[in-house]
């Protein structure tokens, strides 16, 4: 019996000659769509399984993907004998297919093109524990060297730097923080170049602070608040009907028009003295009305007070920021910030030299090294071109967990119409690995404007009951802009009303009272596990609905 797809699932499976970004909510059939698209391409003879690159984020996910493709190919062989010979050939090629994590793909790039850069292809990969130990040792060596030669790095004194930024009794917190910052930087392709560029934004030119990058950034932040305030007014001022409260509506329209003009100036980057004065002197109309309108106004104002308060707060913050940036001493303080930020980055560069030499002497690489060397290789157009021709289709699973380095690697080998990215920004869980969900959000916006790209939204959840879907939507519409228009979930599962249970939210108090001897020494994780086990225990034996 053929599968039944939703309209969006069918589009994700069958659309060709376009980059696709599939926003796939939990329970929306994401894996089925991915596997069936791959199967469709193979069955139709559009490509072979070893001419595709499929990357995901764990070894387990990659293994499961291979197994599902294997199973799907075997089923297709039994369903349609005409394709048996071709699909058997694809099964034979599956073992050498490029279905792996980003790290393993990058490792393959190094092994194939190591001669392009100065790198040993016979490296050993150090695990997370070894990496952490090597980093701590390298940081200790750095600090010892700097204590021996206080001015080894020009621009500042090491002891002076410690006095400002380290704890009085120990440098350990500073060491840990520097290692953490270094790891975050390494999630970008050219991280020290990026850091140096950002540092230059802190510099104040000789022509004055008003011509500095940071001053313009402050103004842009002010403008964003004004734009947001104007959007909010467009939501609630129309609620004051011209027929029932004409006097108040007239005054509110004057307020709204002025804020709209300021919003347009913000969008155009017109932050002249007139703009500054008008923001500082902007006045909100009181919502109190004349006797003939006050009852009607009260009914409306009760509904819109929270959103109007937010509008006022945005303008208040804009004014505070204007007052801040008009203080010239702020930019004198900024000179010191630039001085020590630059010194901090130079320390990290020195730390990297020590850390890399330690790994090199032992024939080791960490996971970040593997991706950076692969990126460096793919900056060579000859190497990138070979892989670009090899891979007719590229699939990225769990795209919401991509970082900027991984995105840059893929961009080097992608064609202009062969990417298939699938994920759900609500499910980004790898921030500790420097995953950047903003990449997903930016790609959505980019594909909206690109004729060779398309966004597809798999919004039907076939796993959860309708009341759970309603609960999820209620939570996320408070957190994600334009959620209801672009990312709201729809219930795809039809279940009897008596099983459409309302979701429960359980709050666990993790603080022990003075007389709570039973829980002394119990970790928060253990408390949570015990609580969940108790819930499961109470559910055993209860009737449930299985879709």
């Amino acid at each position: 019996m053929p599968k039944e797809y939703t309209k969006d699932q069918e589009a994700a499976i069958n659309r060709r000659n376009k980059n696709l970004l599939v926003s796939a909510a939990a329970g929306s059939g994401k894996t089925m769509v991915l596997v069936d698209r791959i199967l469709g391409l193979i069955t139709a003879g559009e490509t072979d399984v070893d001419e595709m690159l499929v990357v995901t984020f764990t070894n387990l996910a990659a293994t499961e993907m291979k197994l599902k493709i294997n199973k799907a190919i075997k089923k297709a062989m039994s369903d349609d004998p005409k394709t048996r010979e071709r699909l058997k050939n694809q099964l034979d090629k599956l073992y050498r297919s490029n279905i792996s994590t980003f790290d393993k793909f990058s490792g393959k790039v190094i092994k194939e093109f190591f001669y392009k850069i100065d790198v040993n292809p016979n490296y050993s990969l150090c695990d997370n524990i070894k990496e952490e130990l090597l980093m701590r040792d390298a940081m200790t060596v750095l600090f010892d060297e700097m204590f021996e030669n206080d001015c080894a790095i020009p621009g500042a004194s090491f002891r002076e730097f410690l006095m400002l930024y380290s704890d009085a009794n120990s440098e350990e917190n500073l060491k840990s923080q520097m290692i953490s910052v270094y790891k975050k930087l390494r999630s970008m392709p050219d991280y020290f170049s990026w850091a140096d560029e950002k540092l230059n934004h802190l510099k104040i030119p000789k022509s004055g602070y008003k011509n500095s990058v940071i001053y313009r950034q402050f103004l842009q932040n002010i403008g964003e608040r004004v734009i947001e305030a104007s959007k909010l007014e467009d939501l609630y001022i129309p609620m004051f009907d011209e027929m029932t409260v004409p006097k108040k509506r007239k005054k509110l329209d004057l307020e709204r028009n002025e804020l709209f003009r300021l919003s347009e100036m913000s969008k155009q980057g017109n932050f002249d003295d007139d703009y500054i004065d008008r923001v500082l002197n902007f006045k909100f109309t009181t919502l109190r009305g004349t006797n003939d309108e006050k009852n009607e106004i009260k009914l409306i104002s009760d509904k819109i007070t929270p959103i109007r308060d937010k509008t006022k707060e945005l303008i208040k913050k804009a004014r505070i920021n204007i007052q801040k940036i008009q203080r010239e001493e702020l930019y004198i303080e900024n000179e010191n910030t630039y001085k020590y930020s630059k010194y901090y980055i130079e320390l990290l560069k020195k730390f990297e030299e020590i850390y890399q030499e330690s790994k090199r002497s032992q024939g080791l690489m960490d996971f970040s090294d593997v991706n950076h060397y692969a990126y460096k290789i793919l900056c060579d157009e000859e190497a990138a071109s070979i892989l670009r021709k090899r891979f007719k289709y590229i699939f990225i699973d769990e795209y919401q967990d991509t970082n900027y380095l991984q995105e840059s690697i893929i961009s080097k080998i992608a064609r202009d119409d062969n990417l298939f990215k699938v994920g759900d920004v609500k499910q980004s869980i790898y921030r500790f690995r420097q995953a950047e969900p903003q990449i997903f959000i930016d790609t959505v916006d980019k594909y909206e404007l690109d004729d060779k790209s398309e966004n597809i939204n798999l919004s039907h959840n076939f796993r959860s009951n309708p009341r759970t879907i309603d609960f999820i939507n209620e939570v996320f519409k408070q957190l994600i802009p334009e959620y209801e228009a672009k990312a709201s979930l729809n219930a795809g599962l039809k279940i009897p009303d008596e099983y459409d249970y309302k979701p429960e939210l359980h709050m666990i108090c993790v603080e022990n009272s003075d007389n709570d001897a039973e829980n002394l020494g119990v970790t928060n994780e253990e408390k949570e596990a015990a609580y969940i086990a108790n819930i499961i225990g109470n559910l055993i034996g209860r009737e449930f609905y299985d879709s």
Side-chain angles (χ1 to χ4, degrees):
M1 182 177 174
K3 291 180 184 176
E4 290 186 14
Y5 300 114
T6 67
K7 179 182 174 184
D8 291 323
Q9 286 174 338
E10 192 168 359
I13 292 167
N14 296 321
R15 192 83 82 237
R16 300 289 186 266
N17 303 316
K18 278 192 171 189
N19 295 316
L20 297 179
L21 175 59
V22 180
S23 298
S28 64
K30 178 201 75 169
T31 304
M32 175 193 71
V33 164
L34 186 58
V35 170
D36 286 0
R37 180 176 174 85
I38 290 170
L39 183 64
L41 290 166
I42 293 169
T43 306
E46 295 179 55
T47 187
D48 290 340
V49 72
D50 58 348
E51 294 176 321
M52 291 185 273
L53 171 63
V54 183
V55 287
T56 188
F57 283 83
T58 66
N59 289 318
L60 177 61
T63 300
E64 288 178 347
M65 184 66 67
K66 279 188 179 179
L67 289 173
K68 286 174 180 175
I69 293 171
N70 181 297
K71 184 178 178 181
I73 291 174
K74 287 179 177 177
K75 185 176 185 308
M77 286 170 64
S78 64
D79 289 346
D80 185 1
K82 295 177 186 175
T83 63
R84 187 168 294 157
E85 191 61 36
R86 169 167 175 75
L87 292 181
K88 184 180 181 303
N89 186 36
Q90 297 305 307
L91 280 178
D92 294 339
K93 292 181 176 182
L94 189 59
Y95 79 95
R96 65 170 184 263
S97 62
N98 293 281
I99 302 171
S100 69
T101 62
F102 266 104
D103 300 326
K104 286 208 170 161
F105 170 67
S106 292
K108 286 183 179 180
V109 172
I110 292 171
K111 296 247 187 296
E112 184 172 353
F113 299 104
F114 66 91
Y115 58 88
K116 290 286 185 182
I117 58 174
D118 181 20
V119 62
N120 178 8
N122 300 314
Y123 62 88
S124 295
L125 199 58
C126 64
D127 60 29
N128 292 335
I129 295 174
K130 180 73 171 176
E131 175 188 347
E132 191 66 28
L133 291 172
L134 289 174
M135 282 190 172
R136 289 189 175 278
D137 287 346
M139 192 60 73
T140 299
V141 171
L142 172 68
F143 272 55
D144 288 346
E145 288 184 4
M146 297 307 298
F147 276 123
E148 285 181 21
N149 185 354
D150 188 57
C151 297
I153 295 176
S157 151
F158 183 65
R159 286 179 173 80
E160 186 181 298
F161 174 78
L162 289 182
M163 286 176 64
L164 288 169
Y165 296 104
S166 182
D167 296 340
N169 301 319
S170 172
E171 299 91 32
E172 293 308 311
N173 285 342
L174 178 60
K175 289 179 180 178
S176 297
Q177 185 233 45
M178 289 176 70
I179 289 172
S180 176
V181 169
Y182 177 72
K183 287 179 179 178
K184 288 175 182 174
L185 278 174
R186 295 255 283 169
S187 69
M188 290 179 282
D190 302 301
Y191 46 98
F192 280 135
S193 296
W194 176 88
D196 289 338
E197 180 188 337
K198 296 301 177 186
L199 273 174
N200 285 329
H201 292 176
L202 296 173
K203 292 178 79 172
I204 306 301
K206 292 179 181 178
S207 55
Y209 71 88
K210 286 192 175 182
N211 293 313
S212 66
V213 172
I214 193 166
Y215 181 76
R216 296 294 300 178
Q217 288 176 338
F218 277 134
L219 287 174
Q220 284 168 6
N221 289 338
I222 290 164
E224 285 169 8
R225 288 193 165 98
V226 171
I227 292 167
E228 182 63 24
S230 178
K231 287 179 180 177
L232 291 177
E233 287 217 329
D234 286 341
L235 292 177
Y236 67 80
I237 285 183
M239 294 175 68
F240 292 85
D241 192 271
E242 293 175 353
M243 302 297 291
T244 54
V245 285
K247 297 173 191 171
K248 183 54 59 185
R249 176 59 184 268
K250 185 176 181 180
K251 289 181 179 179
L252 285 169
D253 277 342
L254 291 173
E255 172 193 310
R256 181 188 185 190
N257 292 339
E258 172 62 1
L259 197 51
F260 174 77
R261 283 191 286 269
L262 289 171
S263 172
E264 290 301 297
M265 292 173 77
S266 301
K267 291 174 185 176
Q268 294 160 13
N270 184 8
F271 302 114
D272 57 14
D273 291 341
D274 176 55
Y275 173 88
I276 298 295
D277 289 341
R278 286 165 69 174
V279 173
L280 288 173
N281 294 306
F282 182 82
K283 287 184 172 55
F284 284 94
T285 301
T286 176
L287 290 187
R288 289 192 301 273
T290 55
N291 288 335
D292 57 327
E293 294 184 350
K294 67 180 181 181
N295 290 336
E296 190 68 30
I297 288 173
K298 186 173 187 319
L299 288 173
I300 303 168
S301 61
D302 287 346
K303 295 177 184 177
I304 59 91
T305 292
I307 194 167
R308 185 159 175 83
D309 287 346
K310 186 176 179 181
T311 309
K312 289 181 178 180
E313 185 65 22
L314 286 165
I315 297 300
K316 180 182 177 183
K317 286 180 179 178
R319 285 179 183 141
I320 290 170
N321 284 343
I322 286 174
Q323 289 161 357
K324 277 184 183 177
I325 65 174
Q326 289 179 330
R327 288 174 43 235
E328 193 155 356
E329 58 267 30
L330 174 71
Y331 301 94
I332 297 170
E333 294 165 8
N334 209 63
E335 285 290 340
N336 280 331
T337 303
Y338 169 75
K339 172 183 172 181
Y340 288 110
S341 296
K342 183 172 176 58
Y343 188 76
Y344 187 98
I345 295 299
E346 293 304 318
L347 282 173
L348 288 181
K349 290 177 181 178
K350 183 70 175 170
F351 160 75
E352 180 173 79
E353 289 175 13
I354 298 167
Y355 176 51
Q356 294 288 26
E357 181 53 40
S358 174
K359 287 182 290 183
R360 196 177 297 115
S361 66
Q362 301 175 61
L364 295 173
M365 284 190 199
D366 61 31
F367 288 105
S368 187
D369 288 328
V370 174
N371 287 317
H372 275 284
Y373 282 126
Y375 172 73
K376 188 174 180 182
I377 287 168
L378 294 174
C379 286
D380 181 287
E381 180 51 31
E382 183 184 17
S385 178
I386 289 170
L387 294 184
R388 201 177 297 124
K389 290 174 183 174
R390 180 180 303 167
F391 298 126
K392 293 181 179 178
Y393 293 92
I394 297 174
F395 297 80
I396 306 173
D397 192 18
E398 306 296 353
Y399 183 60
Q400 75 279 355
D401 291 319
T402 306
N403 66 36
Y404 284 108
L405 176 58
Q406 293 161 340
E407 178 79 348
S408 298
I409 289 170
I410 292 298
S411 71
K412 292 290 182 185
I413 60 173
R415 303 177 190 178
D416 59 1
D417 62 355
N418 72 334
L419 285 170
F420 183 92
K421 305 172 180 181
V422 61
D424 180 11
V425 74
K426 298 190 293 300
Q427 297 185 63
S428 182
I429 60 171
Y430 288 114
R431 278 295 181 102
F432 66 95
R433 293 184 189 171
Q434 283 71 60
E436 183 44 76
Q438 189 62 42
I439 294 172
F440 191 105
I441 296 166
D442 291 343
T443 302
V444 171
D445 294 338
K446 177 184 171 186
Y447 280 13
E448 290 283 348
L449 305 172
D450 184 4
D451 290 340
K452 290 191 175 180
S453 304
E454 183 178 345
N455 292 308
I456 296 175
N457 188 14
L458 302 185
S459 62
H460 282 80
N461 178 299
F462 297 95
R463 184 185 301 162
S464 305
N465 64 309
R467 292 180 82 177
T468 298
I469 300 299
D470 291 341
F471 177 78
I472 292 167
N473 286 335
E474 189 62 33
V475 171
F476 277 99
K477 77 178 184 182
Q478 315 294 331
L479 303 174
I480 299 177
E482 299 184 77
Y483 175 80
E484 290 182 285
K486 292 187 175 180
S488 184
L489 298 179
N490 298 300
L493 186 63
K494 301 288 190 293
I495 67 170
D497 290 343
E498 62 266 29
Y499 292 107
D500 190 11
Y501 296 120
K502 184 178 180 180
E504 296 178 2
L505 178 64
H506 293 252
M507 307 290 286
I508 304 173
C509 179
V510 296
E511 293 183 3
N512 294 324
S513 62
D514 294 337
N515 57 1
D516 191 8
E518 184 182 340
N519 282 321
L520 288 176
V522 179
T523 66
N524 292 343
E525 289 79 8
E526 288 169 337
K527 289 180 184 179
E528 183 178 339
Y531 189 87
I532 292 169
N534 185 56
I535 292 174
I536 294 171
N538 291 332
L539 289 173
I540 293 173
R542 286 178 57 182
E543 187 178 321
F544 66 95
Y545 179 78
D546 186 353
S547 60

